[in-house]
């Protein structure tokens, strides 16, 4: 039986860096988005609870599929096994992590005249 791949997806969300694990990732039919499904959270012992991972579990509880804007994606890796999901604050401003330049469609407001 083939082992299902696990992907580590790192993306920016409201001045925070999210690092989540999932087993399905696709280019969305919605232009400019990546779909991630089947979130994978590490099963830890009941003695040690990571607050960041618990926050992500709560945030993505009941989420079947999440659409992430392409320009927010920092990195996608296929990994051997899942690790701890986490949320990090962006430290030092834009000198550490910069958003990918987005040359999307900008409507011309004078076109309808």
């Amino acid at each position: 039986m083939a082992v299902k791949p696990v992907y580590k997806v790192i993306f920016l969300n409201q001045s925070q860096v999210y690092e989540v694990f999932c087993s399905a990732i696709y280019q969305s039919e919605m232009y400019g988005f990546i779909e991630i499904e089947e979130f994978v959270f590490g099963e830890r012992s009941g003695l040690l609870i990571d607050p960041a991972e618990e926050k992500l579990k709560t945030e993505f509880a009941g989420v079947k599929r999440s659409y992430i804007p392409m320009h927010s994606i920092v990195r996608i890796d296929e990994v051997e096994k899942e690790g701890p999901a986490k949320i990090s604050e962006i430290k030092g401003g834009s000198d550490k992590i910069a958003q990918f330049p987005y040359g999307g469609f900008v409507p011309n407001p004078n076109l309808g005249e």
Side-chain angles (χ1 to χ4, degrees):
M1 188 170 129
V3 176
K4 206 169 195 181
V6 176
Y7 300 97
K8 177 170 70 170
V9 181
I10 303 171
F11 62 94
L12 302 175
N13 184 27
Q14 299 176 349
S15 75
Q16 295 180 321
V17 179
Y18 280 55
E19 186 174 315
V20 297
F21 293 85
C22 63
S23 56
I25 189 165
Y26 309 100
Q27 183 172 345
S28 176
E29 291 180 1
M30 288 193 301
Y31 181 73
F33 287 84
I34 297 289
E35 296 179 27
I36 58 176
E37 299 179 345
E38 302 176 28
F39 292 95
V40 178
F41 293 102
E43 295 301 321
R44 308 283 184 243
S45 69
L47 299 175
L48 229 51
I49 297 175
D50 183 6
E53 188 167 21
E54 288 301 313
K55 181 179 177 185
L56 280 169
K57 276 185 185 181
T58 304
E59 185 171 340
F60 289 104
V63 174
K64 178 181 177 184
R65 178 180 302 124
S66 189
Y67 297 89
I68 310 295
M70 280 190 196
H71 61 275
S72 294
I73 302 285
V74 174
R75 184 174 175 159
I76 299 172
D77 295 323
E78 184 174 351
V79 295
E80 296 288 323
K81 61 181 183 173
E82 75 275 354
K86 55 187 165 183
I87 301 174
S88 308
E89 293 292 327
I90 296 176
K91 296 177 185 163
S94 63
D95 61 339
K96 303 271 185 208
I97 297 175
Q99 282 191 315
F100 193 77
Y102 180 66
F105 174 74
V106 179
N108 185 350
N110 300 325
L111 194 61
E113 293 178 6

